[in-house]
Amino acid sequence: MIHQLKHLVLFGLLSLTFFKSEAQVASDKNFKPAAGVSVKVNTSNVTVTWPAGTNSNGRLILNLKNDEPLFSSVQLSKAGVYKSVIENVDPQFILTEGKRDLVSQNGWNIFFDKVPLKPHHSYKVGFHKKSISVSSKGTRTIITLPRVEAPNFKGDLELTLYNGQPLFNVAAVVSTQIDSTAILYDAGLVAKAQPVKAISYSDVYEHLQIDDISKPDTAKNLAVKYRTIIGTNDKAGIAVFPAPHQYFYPLDEAFNLKFVWYGNNYRDLLPGFGLGIRQELQGDKRFVPWFNAPPGTKQRLNFFCLLGTDGADNLLSKVKQFTHDDSYKPLPGYKTMASHFHNEFIMSVVLAGNPVPDSPSFVKVLKRQGINIVHLAEFHYTAHPKGPDEQRLKELKALFDQCSRLSDRNFLLLPGEEPNEFFGGHWLAFFPKPVYWIMSRKAGTPFESNTPGFGKVYHIGDKTDMLNLLKAENGLAWTAHARTKGSTGFPDAYKKEDFYLSDRFLGAAWKALPADLSEPRLGKRVLDLMDDMNNWGLKKKVLSEADLFTIEPENEMYAHLNVNYLKLAKQPEYKNGWQPVLDVLEQGKFFSTTGEVLIEDFTVNGHSSGQTIAIPADGKCTISFKTNWTFPLNFAEIISGDGKKVYRERIDLTSTQAFGTKTFSKVLNMKGRKWARLEVWDTAVDGAYTQTVWLK
């Protein structure tokens, strides 16, 4: 059956509905595509062309017949000559639906869930071409096709083309009305006949591999670097990859679970030859929470495609640029700091009698990521925090000695612990120098004593002792994974306690947990807590945390990492102590990020985060921020509060293209407000947030 077209244009939206009757084609002056974008329609296809960089255009030819692949041709031009990259492929999705435990712990914020151990089902997502619409938003073009569905889910297929890059995003945007739902998805491009001549990828040791697919076999799963699989036809190639952080739901481990696939008949659900991205249903076989899918939310099951005509190696290099080669970009005047690592090097290697390498793999990995300062969380249920004293002091000395040995001019390895004693819930301790302390104090034992070979030693018996230790040694503490995991109910439960009210209690730590593919930002749980703490008026801070165990080159570290950029003119040396690091945290002179978005400067009436300023009588404040990004930005949000209510001023940044630096400014009436902070998020849901500016 030949489907013919009628199209209607309304409010900048080109809409086409398929009828059996004779085609009627109308034009309308209201349709205003993004600059350089053209849309052409005939009875069998829609051709959309967009500017893809200097002297280059990308082109999608969409086949509107239901029995034929949607992508008739994906093309890229150079100097006006178009070259076909891939032909006759369909974007396809597998949706796996499971059951979320909303009862036993803390509702949608649960981490300690084991979804794959409960009944779950995987379905190929169905797609019926009924209509198509093309709209523009900023510098991007959005193509929408309704009638995407799987059991319990319905929605649309959405293609987003990004001006300035040969980049587009493919998303099945689906919703369910079933409560307590958790999901995973696999996705990719699939063809009836083999659509590429070769498959390329980087192995986990960063060597480009080219697989022989002259005799296509059953689909295989691959552990790769940069989360990318590339299909090529001679020099023309298409790279398929996920959002670098959003696609990876939180786990305790960053194991590389083979997140890409290619070949025939993937999972016996996608007939034909394809290549794409995938999730391992069993995760790391510990706590495996998957993604939240609350009723009515629009879950974006999505992946990116980047086109090239200069070979797989060159194309992979361009993919890597979006994540700074999976590392944190140096920023003048800043040092990068990551926190909360349970690699347990001391207990599993140093004190276990195993050979101690000159440069352990975890140090090499963290240096490779571009991290200058690492705050550990050792002895997590592995050592003797309460003694015997001799054993505890031996463990601490080994930790201090190794941190000193492994630190250098550009890498500072700092001791830290997650004590989980005295205060309630889980929390981290951070001192500006080596401190010997034991988490028990028997009757008659002094708070402080001198021990031969170790010097000053503290015995801590309760929360008062712990606060006194933090004061005595100028240390800091903060809530780890607030409001979830072992900190469910905290810091709320102790927000009126003396230790929490003290300036020695920094605040809390942020991680993208839980995961929800409908959210335009990551880690809403702790960002909401940040607003709550601000309205409590306690001037707390929120740094980012990794909360990971094994750290190896083979792991998918970057997807699970985040970092804090500290305003430090120079790197402290271990031998002199690292008080400047704690000072910057306490003063709020830092921002936190997934890595792709950097907030180089943020001011309210010229004052930076951590400072307190008097606002003028009319309440008018000029809010400025300089940001640097890779993926095109989606929005910035200026968040403020009056001690009770939270206010949000969203700035649409869809006019940005990839790889930019710009200073933005906005005047807002902040009368009655007591604080303000900033978040910036991109189209892949990578982002950054600042600390708070206090208003009076």
Side-chain angles (χ1 to χ4, degrees):
M1 181 186 299
I2 297 176
H3 293 264
Q4 297 176 317
L5 309 175
K6 175 181 179 180
H7 81 244
L8 176 67
V9 181
L10 290 172
F11 309 113
L13 176 70
L14 174 65
S15 179
L16 304 101
T17 305
F18 307 158
F19 294 97
K20 295 180 182 178
S21 59
E22 184 178 347
Q24 298 178 14
V25 180
S27 63
D28 192 297
K29 296 179 181 179
N30 290 329
F31 180 59
K32 296 179 180 179
V37 173
S38 70
V39 181
K40 296 181 180 179
V41 181
N42 63 36
T43 56
S44 61
N45 60 55
V46 173
T47 300
V48 185
T49 303
W50 78 99
T54 304
N55 203 24
S56 177
N57 288 316
R59 176 175 287 170
L60 288 184
I61 301 177
L62 304 176
N63 189 324
L64 303 178
K65 297 179 181 178
N66 268 309
D67 56 350
E68 296 185 10
L70 177 63
F71 292 166
S72 178
S73 182
V74 180
Q75 303 174 4
L76 186 63
S77 75
K78 183 182 285 188
V81 178
Y82 281 90
K83 188 169 186 177
S84 177
V85 175
I86 196 168
E87 296 182 346
N88 297 318
V89 292
D90 259 321
Q92 294 192 2
F93 298 84
I94 296 173
L95 176 61
T96 301
E97 177 186 9
K99 193 73 173 175
R100 167 68 72 243
D101 175 0
L102 295 180
V103 178
S104 69
Q105 294 161 60
N106 53 336
W108 291 105
N109 278 338
I110 188 173
F111 173 81
F112 295 129
D113 204 355
K114 297 183 177 181
V115 179
L117 298 185
K118 294 174 281 188
H120 56 277
H121 304 279
S122 296
Y123 310 100
K124 177 183 175 181
V125 176
F127 173 49
H128 182 78
K129 300 172 191 172
K130 183 180 179 182
S131 62
I132 185 171
S133 64
V134 185
S135 62
S136 60
K137 187 173 184 180
T139 58
R140 51 210 73 167
T141 301
I142 302 168
I143 304 164
T144 305
L145 296 97
R147 299 275 315 255
V148 167
E149 57 188 10
N152 300 322
F153 284 85
K154 292 183 178 180
D156 302 330
L157 183 71
E158 194 172 276
L159 313 175
T160 304
L161 318 178
Y162 300 97
N163 270 19
Q165 288 287 320
L167 177 72
F168 61 94
N169 182 267
V170 182
V173 185
V174 295
S175 297
T176 182
Q177 297 305 317
I178 306 298
D179 202 5
S180 309
T181 298
I183 62 171
L184 284 185
Y185 75 94
D186 303 347
L189 301 174
V190 182
K192 294 178 181 177
Q194 186 175 319
V196 293
K197 296 178 180 178
I199 292 289
S200 301
Y201 53 90
S202 169
D203 66 23
V204 294
Y205 303 107
E206 305 195 50
H207 301 129
L208 184 69
Q209 302 294 330
I210 302 175
D211 281 7
D212 179 8
I213 56 171
S214 57
K215 297 180 180 179
D217 201 351
T218 304
K220 65 168 88 172
N221 307 327
L222 297 172
V224 304
K225 188 78 171 175
Y226 307 110
R227 305 157 298 279
T228 300
I229 189 81
I230 296 173
T232 56
N233 286 302
D234 299 321
K235 288 289 187 178
I238 183 166
V240 177
F241 56 97
H245 300 278
Q246 184 202 38
Y247 187 58
F248 298 86
Y249 63 89
L251 292 170
D252 282 332
E253 297 281 8
F255 296 145
N256 193 316
L257 301 176
K258 299 183 178 181
F259 296 111
V260 302
W261 64 273
Y262 80 86
N264 279 312
N265 197 25
Y266 176 65
R267 289 187 62 186
D268 293 327
L269 287 170
L270 302 183
F273 185 99
L275 68 160
I277 62 172
R278 64 177 297 276
Q279 285 282 7
E280 177 56 50
L281 300 188
Q282 301 299 322
D284 60 9
K285 298 182 179 178
R286 299 182 78 234
F287 296 102
V288 185
W290 293 9
F291 296 102
N292 287 340
T297 57
K298 293 184 177 182
Q299 299 294 317
R300 287 185 59 85
L301 321 181
N302 73 97
F303 61 94
F304 288 90
C305 296
L306 187 71
L307 309 178
T309 55
D310 297 320
D313 196 3
N314 184 271
L315 182 54
L316 180 60
S317 294
K318 291 181 178 179
V319 173
K320 290 160 60 176
Q321 291 176 9
F322 286 97
T323 59
H324 304 298
D325 290 359
D326 277 14
S327 67
Y328 296 101
K329 178 182 176 179
L331 192 60
Y334 288 85
K335 297 296 180 183
T336 54
M337 173 190 169
S339 177
H340 201 157
F341 295 97
H342 300 300
N343 53 304
E344 300 299 342
F345 179 67
I346 302 304
M347 297 305 296
S348 62
V349 177
V350 178
L351 296 181
N354 294 319
V356 179
D358 289 339
S359 181
S361 59
F362 80 91
V363 170
K364 293 177 181 177
V365 169
L366 295 173
K367 284 183 175 181
R368 160 66 179 81
Q369 309 287 165
I371 300 173
N372 303 124
I373 304 166
V374 173
H375 174 226
L376 297 173
E378 286 278 295
F379 309 139
H380 192 53
Y381 303 118
T382 64
H384 303 83
K386 297 183 178 182
D389 289 9
E390 181 181 354
Q391 186 65 36
R392 165 68 171 172
L393 297 177
K394 178 183 177 182
E395 291 163 358
L396 284 174
K397 186 177 188 307
L399 174 61
F400 301 152
D401 288 347
Q402 290 299 318
C403 285
S404 176
R405 181 180 74 86
L406 296 170
S407 295
D408 57 40
R409 292 177 59 187
N410 298 309
F411 183 75
L412 188 58
L413 185 64
L414 299 180
E417 294 184 75
E418 187 177 7
N420 307 335
E421 299 283 346
F422 314 124
F423 291 161
H426 288 201
W427 56 279
L428 264 69
F430 193 25
F431 294 102
K433 63 180 182 180
V435 174
Y436 288 99
W437 62 295
I438 297 162
M439 299 179 206
S440 67
R441 185 180 178 191
K442 298 176 183 177
T445 301
F447 169 69
E448 176 188 330
S449 62
N450 280 290
T451 301
F454 300 98
K456 190 184 296 183
V457 175
Y458 295 91
H459 283 81
I460 309 302
D462 57 23
K463 58 188 175 184
T464 301
D465 281 350
M466 191 66 231
L467 177 56
N468 287 336
L469 170 59
L470 293 170
K471 289 178 177 178
E473 294 292 348
N474 207 29
L476 292 174
W478 58 84
T479 310
H481 41 75
R483 293 178 171 174
T484 190
K485 300 178 78 172
S487 292
T488 297
F490 299 100
D492 307 71
Y494 52 57
K495 68 179 183 180
K496 295 182 179 180
E497 295 262 11
D498 288 344
F499 69 81
Y500 184 77
L501 297 173
S502 165
D503 62 2
R504 296 300 88 208
F505 203 95
L506 185 70
W510 174 92
K511 181 178 178 174
L513 189 174
D516 185 329
L517 295 166
S518 71
E519 292 285 345
R521 56 185 189 154
L522 301 176
K524 181 179 182 294
R525 165 188 57 92
V526 174
L527 296 174
D528 287 349
L529 170 63
M530 193 176 186
D531 298 334
D532 290 342
M533 292 192 300
N534 285 342
N535 272 340
W536 297 344
L538 301 178
K539 297 188 177 180
K540 299 299 182 185
K541 316 299 187 301
V542 173
L543 74 164
S544 68
E545 66 178 350
D547 195 3
L548 294 172
F549 286 75
T550 311
I551 304 172
E552 296 293 342
E554 298 86 357
N555 285 7
E556 177 47 73
M557 293 300 301
Y558 185 76
H560 294 277
L561 281 175
N562 48 59
V563 79
N564 304 285
Y565 277 78
L566 310 186
K567 271 193 176 180
L568 280 171
K570 64 178 183 178
Q571 178 109 338
E573 293 185 60
Y574 188 94
K575 64 181 180 181
N576 297 325
W578 45 94
Q579 184 65 53
V581 175
L582 280 76
D583 289 343
V584 167
L585 293 175
E586 189 178 354
Q587 293 162 8
K589 294 182 178 180
F590 66 97
F591 69 89
S592 306
T593 177
T594 56
E596 297 77 10
V597 180
L598 305 181
I599 303 174
E600 299 184 31
D601 193 30
F602 163 63
T603 61
V604 179
N605 282 356
H607 293 76
S608 301
S609 61
Q611 295 184 315
T612 301
I613 67 169
I615 59 175
D618 62 4
K620 288 186 178 180
C621 291
T622 299
I623 298 171
S624 297
F625 57 97
K626 182 181 180 182
T627 186
N628 177 289
W629 66 89
T630 59
F631 287 94
L633 297 177
N634 259 5
F635 65 91
E637 201 160 49
I638 300 164
I639 302 142
S640 61
D642 59 10
K644 293 182 180 179
K645 187 177 178 181
V646 175
Y647 303 85
R648 299 181 180 278
E649 181 72 23
R650 182 167 290 195
I651 302 171
D652 187 340
L653 298 179
T654 56
S655 62
T656 59
Q657 296 187 13
F659 304 108
T661 300
K662 187 175 180 180
T663 298
F664 300 89
S665 186
K666 191 173 184 67
V667 177
L668 293 178
N669 187 341
M670 305 294 282
K671 197 168 186 177
R673 309 291 168 83
K674 296 184 176 180
W675 56 269
R677 64 181 188 85
L678 174 73
E679 297 176 18
V680 184
W681 298 94
D682 71 19
T683 192
V685 199
D686 311 304
Y689 65 90
T690 70
Q691 296 305 297
T692 304
V693 174
W694 300 93
L695 312 175
K696 63 179 181 179

